[in-house]
Each structure stands twice: as C-alpha cells, then as structure tokens.
C-alpha cells in the first residue's frame, strides 16, 4: 500500500550554478547549429572552472560555424547569466573549443537510408510524468523550488536586488497528507551575494520571494527557514566549484518524484532520444492527466540505437486511472508516432528552442509562441477523447 502521509523534498539550482552554466552553453551551441541548419547533429559537453571554459563533442553541420563562433556563443551565455567576477568573467575567461565531426558509425545507424527510417541516436530508457499537484501538472516540491530561484533571478537581472550573485540553490520539503501537499516543513536557499551583505541581510532579501511563491499559509516555521546556512556565499559559480553539462538531471525533470532514465538533455540535438523521447513521454503523460484519464501518470519509452520504433511503451497510472492501462498504452501509440522522426515532427523540435530550457526545469513551463516547450501543450486531449470516450 502506498504511503499517504509523508515528507518529500526537491531541490533546484539557478542559471548561475556551475553545472547550469555548462547546460546553458551546450544548449546555446545546439541552437546555433539548428539556426544555421535545422537538421544539424550536435552532441556538445561543456566544462567550466576558474576563468576557463572548455567545449568538447561531435557535430555535423554548416562549415560557417567555426571555433571562433562557438567561443563567442560561450562568452555571450556567461555574459547573459551575469558573470563579471574576478574568478569568472565572460570577457576574460580562457575558452577552448574541441569540437569535431560526428562519428561515421553513429551517423550510419541514425540516418534514414533507402527503406530504413531514421533510427534512435542511442539506446536508452526515458520517462515522462504528470500529476495534479499543481496547475502545470508537476510535482509541487520541484515546482516551488524552481519558482523561488526564478523569482530571485528576475530581481537580480532587473536591478531590484543588485547584491545577489548568479549562483544559487533551493530545497523545499513539503508535508503530504492523504497524498496531497499541504505545507512546507523546511525551506533552504543558498544564494551568492556581495561581500557587504550579512547573512541576515540575505535572509531578508530572500524571504519575500519564498512567501510570494508558496501558497498562502504554507511557509515553514522560522527555525526551519535556512538561508545561506554556512554563513557566507561570496565566492560562487565556476570560481567556487567546477561545472559540467548534464549533472543536474533530477533538477531538470521531476525533482525525484518520478523515475529518470539516466540520460541528460542539454547539448543534444533532437535526434537524440535521451532528449526528444523524454519530451514525448512528458507530453503524453501530461495529456493523459489533463484529459482526466488519471490523476498521476508515468510513461516509460525504450529504444535501441539505429532502430526507429520504441522497443516498449509502459504506462502506470498509480491506481488513479479511469481507463485500462494496456488500452491507454495502445491508444497513445496510435495518436503519436513515437519514432525519433515522428517525435521531432509532431513536437517540431528542429528549432533553436533549447537554451531557454537549461535552467528552472524542462517541464512545467508555458509553451512559447515560437514553439519552445511544445511538449507542454495539452492538444492531444481531443484525440484521446475520440479514442477513449
């Protein structure tokens, strides 16, 4: 029997966290290639440390995208995030670009040829999830953890809080009663700040952002409100800790409330099912819940490299489903082609829409007019209704 009364915790990290700096740069590289050629292939990893940025990976795209161009892309990402510190500065950091051509062996397995459809870019398992805990059909702890940091970042960028630095983390623990979140039992926020600010100063800067994000009456007791628990956070970002692409995959998805297949998203073009199939699984799960067929839904997809069709489609509605799960699984594969090509075309993923996904979660975001976050649409509900009633 599932536990109904419990505490659950999720964390988020800001756009200035070292790992998120790397995700932003890698996704900006993807966008750069897709802008020049929508069918470019990109697998880009980034490392950052004190005044150093290193790009590595494999691409197939226009020759106009040179190493100098990619260096400019990396610097611009760091500038937009807001790093102009002695230990990490967008203009002064040393940038190395080690990007080479995509493996011919991988290309042979992925490319369409003759009667062979485009295959998956790698083997793997991907999960999607949706639930009714929030209006955006996301688990509440990760939703509010993201929202606190997004609010602080907006205040920093606008100039309303000039004492804040780009690097920050949040962690929110919620109490669940009868499987529903009812209040926060603890809130942790660590944010980089100017040397002139005390721990208490930072606490009072952070407080209204937490209060404005959490539902009324949900704020934890004062003794369980932790802000910069070490007492000082002046040295931050890549100067304080090295960063790598793809190290915050639970932050990127459901905050631990649902399974994760293990593959990171950032730096990968949409032929990589690590990314595109995870988006498709979220899209299907969200439409199942939005359509009223379950209060919670987990979907797993699996693929083999070079093979077009998924090897399996698994649906779990956690005893909240209104229709048989086997029937639901069959219908989902009917209303959406889950081959790599089918996913890309249905969600229109061959567009430069990825840098914006690199912080504050890939899911639970509003679809953009230019096609960003297309996997957050709920436009499959009419088709599901036609098939399921």
């Amino acid at each position: 029997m599932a536990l109904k009364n419990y505490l659950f915790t999720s964390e988020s990290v800001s756009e200035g966290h070292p790992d998120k700096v790397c995700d932003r740069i890698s996704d900006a590289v993807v966008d750069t290639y897709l802008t020049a050629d929508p069918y470019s292939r990109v697998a880009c990893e980034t490392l950052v440390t004190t005044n150093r940025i290193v790009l590595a990976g494999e691409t197939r795209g226009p020759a106009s995208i040179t190493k100098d161009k990619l260096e400019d892309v990396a610097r611009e990402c760091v500038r937009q995030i807001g790093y102009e510190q002695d230990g990490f500065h967008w203009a002064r950091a040393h940038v190395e670009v080690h990007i080479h051509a995509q493996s011919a062996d991988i290309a042979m397995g992925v490319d369409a040829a003759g009667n062979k459809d485009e295959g998956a870019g790698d083997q793997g398992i991907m999960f999607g999830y949706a639930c009714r805990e929030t209006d955006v059909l996301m688990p509440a702890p990760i939703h509010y953890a993201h929202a606190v940091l997004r609010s602080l970042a907006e205040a920093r960028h606008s100039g309303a809080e000039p004492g804040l630095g780009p690097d920050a983390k949040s962690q929110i623990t919620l109490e669940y009663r009868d499987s529903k979140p009812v209040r926060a039992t603890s809130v942790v926020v660590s944010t980089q700040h100017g040397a002139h600010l005390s721990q208490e100063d930072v606490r009072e800067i952070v407080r209204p952002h937490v209060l404005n994000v959490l539902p009324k009456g949900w704020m934890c007791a004062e003794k369980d409100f932790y802000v910069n628990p070490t007492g000082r956070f002046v040295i931050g970002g890549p100067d304080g800790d090295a960063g790598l692409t793809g190290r915050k995959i639970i932050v990127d998805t459901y905050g631990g409330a649902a399974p994760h297949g293990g593959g990171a998203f950032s730096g990968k073009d949409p032929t990589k099912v690590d990314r595109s199939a995870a988006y498709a699984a979220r899209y299907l799960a969200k439409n199942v819940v939005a359509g009223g067929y379950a209060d919670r839904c987990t979907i797993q997809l699996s693929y083999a490299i070079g093979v077009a069709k998924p090897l399996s489609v698994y649906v779990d509605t956690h005893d909240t489903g209104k229709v048989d799960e086997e029937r639901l699984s069959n219908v989902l594969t009917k209303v959406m082609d889950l081959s790599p090509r089918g996913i890309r075309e249905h969600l229109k993923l061959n567009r430069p829409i990825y840098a914006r996904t690199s912080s504050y979660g890939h899911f639970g975001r509003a679809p953009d007019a230019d096609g960003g976050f297309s996997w957050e649409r709920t436009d499959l509900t009419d088709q599901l209704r036609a098939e399921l009633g």
Side-chain angles (χ1 to χ4, degrees):
M1 181 179 294
L3 195 64
K4 291 189 174 183
N5 301 317
Y6 55 92
L7 303 181
F8 194 84
T9 305
S10 293
E11 71 158 348
S12 179
V13 298
S14 73
E15 66 199 66
H17 184 280
D19 296 330
K20 281 292 153 199
V21 173
C22 294
D23 287 346
R24 173 74 165 268
I25 292 170
S26 292
D27 274 338
V29 170
V30 174
D31 284 352
T32 300
Y33 272 93
L34 294 181
T35 297
D37 178 358
Y39 298 99
S40 295
R41 301 287 171 80
V42 184
C44 177
E45 312 294 341
T46 303
L47 176 148
V48 294
T49 186
T50 302
N51 269 334
R52 185 172 295 270
I53 303 167
V54 181
L55 278 65
E58 306 79 44
T59 63
R60 187 172 76 195
S64 59
I65 301 177
T66 63
K67 289 187 176 182
D68 288 344
K69 172 66 174 175
L70 295 178
E71 177 178 335
D72 290 343
V73 168
R75 292 190 188 281
E76 178 61 14
C77 288
V78 176
R79 188 193 69 78
Q80 290 177 0
I81 291 169
Y83 276 113
E84 295 185 342
Q85 301 167 4
D86 289 342
F88 196 69
H89 195 292
W90 66 271
R92 295 197 297 270
H94 177 67
V95 180
E96 299 177 30
V97 180
H98 304 283
I99 301 284
H100 60 81
Q102 183 188 48
S103 160
D105 290 349
I106 292 177
M108 180 176 63
V110 175
D111 290 346
N115 294 325
K116 174 185 173 297
D117 196 4
E118 176 184 301
D122 202 352
Q123 70 176 48
I125 57 175
M126 299 84 207
F127 287 93
Y129 181 74
C131 63
R132 293 197 177 279
E133 293 180 18
T134 60
D135 290 344
V136 294
L137 306 185
M138 284 287 286
I142 188 68
H143 174 72
Y144 295 123
H146 284 323
V148 168
L149 293 187
R150 209 160 43 232
S151 180
L152 288 169
E154 289 167 359
R156 177 174 62 85
H157 283 298
S158 72
E161 295 294 352
L164 296 180
D167 194 359
K169 302 177 77 170
S170 65
Q171 183 173 286
I172 293 181
T173 301
L174 298 185
E175 178 183 356
Y176 283 72
R177 294 180 191 159
D178 197 23
S179 302
K180 293 182 174 60
V182 296
R183 70 182 184 99
T185 61
S186 67
V187 174
V188 184
V189 179
S190 296
T191 180
Q192 189 180 13
H193 59 88
H196 64 288
L197 294 176
S198 69
Q199 183 181 23
E200 189 58 31
D201 291 335
V202 178
R203 184 185 187 87
E204 294 313 309
I205 289 172
V206 169
R207 185 188 302 276
H209 294 275
V210 177
L211 289 171
N212 290 338
V213 160
L214 290 176
K216 187 176 181 180
W218 278 35
M219 183 60 174
C220 64
E222 188 67 16
K223 66 181 179 60
D224 299 312
F225 178 41
Y226 304 94
V227 176
N228 285 7
T230 65
R232 179 180 168 88
F233 189 3
V234 174
I235 300 171
D239 188 29
D241 191 11
L244 291 168
T245 301
R247 286 207 298 193
K248 287 293 178 284
I249 58 177
I250 301 303
V251 169
D252 286 342
T253 54
Y254 307 103
H260 192 293
F265 304 154
S266 291
K268 298 175 182 178
D269 75 77
T271 67
K272 278 72 171 176
V273 285
D274 275 346
R275 179 169 226 158
S276 56
Y279 291 170
R282 162 64 178 175
Y283 176 63
L284 293 176
K286 186 174 184 181
N287 276 270
V288 167
V289 174
Y293 298 104
D295 293 332
R296 293 173 60 203
C297 182
T298 298
I299 292 176
Q300 184 204 58
L301 306 175
S302 70
Y303 293 84
I305 188 168
V307 179
K309 293 296 183 181
L311 305 184
S312 64
V313 179
Y314 166 81
V315 179
D316 183 0
T317 55
H318 306 276
D319 297 322
T320 69
K322 310 300 191 294
V323 297
D324 177 74
E325 288 165 339
E326 183 177 359
R327 183 182 176 210
L328 184 56
S329 176
N330 291 334
V331 167
L332 291 176
T333 57
K334 183 176 180 180
V335 298
M336 185 176 184
D337 177 358
L338 292 173
S339 68
R341 183 199 300 275
I343 293 170
R344 288 191 299 103
E345 292 179 351
H346 189 110
L347 297 177
K348 297 180 171 56
L349 297 179
N350 286 100
R351 295 185 279 193
I353 55 174
Y354 297 106
R356 70 193 75 172
T357 69
S358 61
S359 53
Y360 314 117
H362 292 244
F363 308 127
R365 310 284 289 273
D368 293 326
D370 67 351
F373 301 103
S374 59
W375 49 93
E376 290 296 308
R377 302 191 314 252
T378 54
D379 54 354
L380 273 185
T381 54
D382 287 344
Q383 289 175 262
L384 291 176
R385 194 169 295 114
E387 295 289 340
L388 295 168

